[in-house]
Amino acid sequence: MKQVVFISGKGGTGKSTVVASLSLLVKNKIIADCDVDAPNLHLLIKGERLHSDDYFGAELAVIDSTKCVSCGICRDICRFDAISEKIEIKPMKCEGCGACVLACPQAAISMIDLKIGETYVDQTQRGTFSHALLDIGADGSGKLVTEVKENLFAFLNGEDWALIDGSPGIGCSVIASITGADAVVAVCEPTRSGQSDLERVLGVARHFGIPAFVCINKYDLNLEITAEIKEFCEKNGIPLIGKIPFEPAIVKALQLLQTPVEAGIKNIVGEIENIWSRLQIQLGTVK
Amino acid sequence: MKIAVSATGKTMESQIDQRFGRAASFIIVETETMDYEAIDNLATLSSGGAGISSAQSVAEKDVKAVITGNVGPNAMNVLKAASIEIYKAAASTVKENVELFKKGVLEKISTTVPPHFGLGGK
Amino acid sequence: MKIAVLSGKGGTGKTIVAASLAASLSESQYVDCDVEEPNGALFLNPEIIETTPVNVLVPKVDESRCDGCGACAKACRFNAIAVVKKKVLIFPEICHHCGACVIACPQNAISEVQREIGVVETDRNGRFLQGRLNIGEPITIPIIHKLKQSVREDKINIFDCSPGASCTVVQTIDGCDYCILVTEPTPFGMHDLKIAVSLVRKVGMPFGVVLNKAMAGDKTIQTYCKNEKIVVLMEIPFLREIAENYSKGILPVKMDKAWEGKFVRMFSSIVGGIEL
């Protein structure tokens, strides 16, 4: 089984659209949405729930009011303004650091694990699909991404490919997304900010020694930057495996919860098919 | 010599876990006798700093070497401070890797990836 | 007056809206709170004249007092401290500056020192303010706090939030008067809009929606807003010209004066009780 992770320097580059399209084109695969801070694939890939679990990704201080003598020491030492005048924890502000637990002379404060989201595995017509949803105001982390991937591989059943929609950015979550990957495909747009984001995200892949490939979405919006990205890729030995044109029909299709494949947008589907065959050639799975 | 191997399970036949910080468990092996002990890696419960916590755990077991896949820079610094050497796993199971280690053919890892890979900023 | 511009995810045009609004109002200050990827400067081209470091407190061990007991490492819930061979190793970049280790140390061997994690930068006229996290730093909140302390109170502050509905966004909109939620007419946009709506409702702040990449014939976002009694402040059409200019760093208000009027009117409607 080979793991291919789609990443981008920032959100909104079209990474999920490419993954969703490939989920219809590639045979015998499993799918994960590791973009846990803004998951979208589950809107396009529906199925029957096989597994769900609570995700505990944070800690919160709780005060035992029977032991508390309202001395206020905890409030004085809290660096996050998370304890009120009345010596109550403000959950939205609590960092989960536990300093108050250590400071309380009455041993009245303890830490509890906080459920901040849920993880799911669905059986879909396109294959097993693992994803997660976070609560409002909660932060994703390498831990959650790792859980999503572990859930996926727990349901592995002889498939050839794992298509993974990675986290955007270059933080811990993206590192967790690409750990163990056989290839990463960086999807970018030809904008000044997109270009610098791309260079940094490719740096992440290079450091891990994972073969990286580039796909430019809406390449024809700025041919000058597209040419610069191409040159950058050539100079660094990174294959440019796809250039998807700006196509308003994609947005129209997405409005109907359709990928370009289902909507039959021929030029786009053709290019996504090309991306996949070029990737397979590069990975040596086909001649 | 006592060494630690990152593993997805708890026996000598378990697969190597390519992750160090978030490895499911560590198999602590005495290479002379091949006696072993499996420890759960509690660092997998951490949102951040998992590598540091894992390194601390194996250091407390007083091992002289670690066999794993990828080690982040923070974990590497802890292992270095504890004078623990790091070797790149080259086979699929814990046992095979320990055998390769004993033959002296595993590659030593000394370079790493930068921490957090430069979040933000330009 | 403080207005926060947010979106459920990246790529919806949040920066276009925030920067256009700021550029259309003469008494405004644009504040880039997307400190990991501050992009507003690419559109507003400010002349930065002042850069102020943002410091946090991190632990420092007095080795003459430390006996290597490891209490600090156990106290740190972020794994920012390890103790091996009686030696304390501190990892400042994952430190949350909470001071728990100082409290935990039985030898009083830990003190705290200032450490720079980023900067806030401002232009000459106080029209532009941005935060930038230094490379390698994962913790954004101290920069957000510094930005909020540094705003020009005499101006209309337009906060360009980081994407998503994370803790950073919650901290950014805390204390604002109004939120503008930017979305696009796709199921993704709708999904992320709903998340952003729950966020602003949870904190109890008045808000309205700007629909970017609006397409004739699709009214899903408008219908949702109508059913939820959410005001749609503006629609920006899905035009190749706007996308092309965006890729070059040109705002709609710079290519067509009519847009400036639209943003000014949107602002008036926000101030005047959210009636368009």
Side-chain angles (χ1 to χ4, degrees), chain A residues 57 146 150 170-172 175 200 208, chain B residues 19 47 113 116-121:
Chain A
T146 303
E150 281 179 353
I170 50 174
C172 300
I175 296 174
R200 290 196 301 166
F208 270 103
Chain B
R19 304 164 302 187
S47 298
V113 294
H116 302 280
F117 287 111
L119 276 161

Side-chain angles (χ1 to χ4, degrees), chain C residues 50-109:
Chain C
E50 197 186 327
T51 299
T52 316
V54 179
N55 294 315
V56 292
L57 289 172
V58 296
K60 184 170 181 273
V61 176
D62 177 348
E63 288 183 8
S64 66
R65 287 187 176 184
C66 174
D67 64 357
C69 73
C72 51
K74 284 195 180 65
C76 180
R77 299 185 108 82
F78 308 107
N79 297 323
I81 306 179
V83 180
V84 291
K85 299 198 162 173
K86 304 265 174 201
K87 193 172 162 23
V88 180
L89 301 173
I90 293 171
F91 296 89
E93 71 280 358
I94 55 173
C95 170
H96 285 230
H97 337 115
C98 69
C101 51
V102 179
I103 300 170
C105 179
Q107 307 296 328
N108 286 325

Side-chain angles (χ1 to χ4, degrees), chain A residues 12-87:
Chain A
T13 61
K15 168 174 73 61
S16 299
T17 308
V18 173
V19 177
S21 300
L22 286 172
S23 75
L24 287 162
L25 298 171
V26 178
K27 302 270 180 303
N28 202 19
K29 80 280 156 187
I30 51 178
I31 310 151
D33 192 349
C34 289
D35 187 354
V36 293
D37 283 298
N40 281 152
L41 270 189
H42 64 284
L43 300 170
L44 297 174
I45 305 176
K46 302 264 182 207
E48 192 188 324
R49 188 128 302 162
L50 293 175
H51 172 84
S52 68
D53 211 349
D54 291 344
Y55 170 65
F56 293 88
E59 288 184 294
L60 178 71
V62 285
I63 300 176
D64 180 346
S65 57
T66 62
K67 290 186 188 164
C68 174
V69 295
S70 297
C71 67
I73 290 174
C74 55
R75 199 165 63 84
D76 294 343
I77 60 97
C78 179
R79 303 264 173 93
F80 306 97
D81 181 32
I83 300 174
S84 70
E85 290 287 339
K86 292 178 181 166
I87 317 297

Side-chain angles (χ1 to χ4, degrees), chain A residues 172-192:
Chain A
C172 300
S173 306
V174 72
I175 296 174
S177 307
I178 68 171
T179 301
D182 296 284
V184 299
V185 178
V187 181
C188 68
E189 288 183 6
T191 63
R192 285 285 164 228

Side-chain angles (χ1 to χ4, degrees), chain A residues 2-287:
Chain A
K2 288 200 181 293
Q3 272 186 57
V4 183
V5 185
F6 294 79
I7 55 176
S8 64
K10 71 171 190 82
T13 61
K15 168 174 73 61
S16 299
T17 308
V18 173
V19 177
S21 300
L22 286 172
S23 75
L24 287 162
L25 298 171
V26 178
K27 302 270 180 303
N28 202 19
K29 80 280 156 187
I30 51 178
I31 310 151
D33 192 349
C34 289
D35 187 354
V36 293
D37 283 298
N40 281 152
L41 270 189
H42 64 284
L43 300 170
L44 297 174
I45 305 176
K46 302 264 182 207
E48 192 188 324
R49 188 128 302 162
L50 293 175
H51 172 84
S52 68
D53 211 349
D54 291 344
Y55 170 65
F56 293 88
E59 288 184 294
L60 178 71
V62 285
I63 300 176
D64 180 346
S65 57
T66 62
K67 290 186 188 164
C68 174
V69 295
S70 297
C71 67
I73 290 174
C74 55
R75 199 165 63 84
D76 294 343
I77 60 97
C78 179
R79 303 264 173 93
F80 306 97
D81 181 32
I83 300 174
S84 70
E85 290 287 339
K86 292 178 181 166
I87 317 297
E88 288 162 340
I89 304 290
K90 305 181 204 168
M92 295 284 270
K93 295 232 166 170
C94 178
E95 185 85 357
C97 72
C100 53
V101 177
L102 296 167
C104 178
Q106 304 296 320
I109 311 181
S110 56
M111 302 301 288
I112 54 163
D113 282 329
L114 202 58
K115 181 198 159 193
I116 60 167
E118 289 183 10
T119 57
Y120 309 102
V121 180
D122 297 343
Q123 188 59 55
T124 80
Q125 289 188 337
R126 305 182 196 185
T128 306
F129 171 47
S130 175
H131 57 117
L133 285 180
L134 278 169
D135 294 346
I136 305 299
D139 286 332
S141 64
K143 183 188 173 197
L144 180 54
V145 169
T146 303
E147 284 191 17
V148 169
K149 286 178 73 177
E150 281 179 353
N151 286 343
L152 180 71
F153 295 126
F155 284 87
L156 184 66
N157 187 18
E159 287 89 352
D160 296 327
W161 297 96
L163 300 179
I164 296 172
D165 193 351
S167 315
I170 50 174
C172 300
S173 306
V174 72
I175 296 174
S177 307
I178 68 171
T179 301
D182 296 284
V184 299
V185 178
V187 181
C188 68
E189 288 183 6
T191 63
R192 285 285 164 228
S193 56
Q195 194 179 6
S196 64
D197 295 344
L198 174 71
E199 290 176 15
R200 290 196 301 166
V201 83
L202 288 172
V204 177
R206 188 175 60 234
H207 279 293
F208 270 103
I210 301 170
F213 305 90
V214 169
C215 167
I216 308 175
N217 191 18
K218 307 180 192 170
Y219 80 92
D220 50 342
L221 280 183
N222 193 323
L223 291 172
E224 192 190 325
I225 298 181
T226 291
E228 285 175 28
I229 293 174
K230 188 163 177 272
E231 194 186 327
F232 173 84
C233 289
E234 280 166 4
K235 211 183 272 174
N236 289 279
I238 300 163
L240 176 62
I241 56 167
K243 291 198 299 184
I244 302 172
F246 179 79
E247 176 54 80
I250 296 178
V251 182
K252 289 212 174 85
L254 289 174
Q255 286 169 343
L256 303 169
L257 286 171
Q258 288 180 341
T259 63
V261 179
E262 292 149 304
I265 310 169
K266 287 205 178 66
N267 59 330
I268 301 296
V269 177
E271 185 58 17
I272 293 175
E273 282 173 339
N274 284 338
I275 290 169
W276 187 250
S277 49
R278 287 178 198 132
L279 186 68
Q280 283 180 286
I281 292 166
Q282 294 280 348
L283 293 176
T285 54
V286 293
K287 288 280 159 344

Side-chain angles (χ1 to χ4, degrees), chain C residues 176-190:
Chain C
C176 285
D177 301 297
Y178 193 85
C179 288
I180 297 173
L181 278 44
V182 183
T183 189
E184 57 183 31
T186 62
F188 303 143
M190 172 67 93

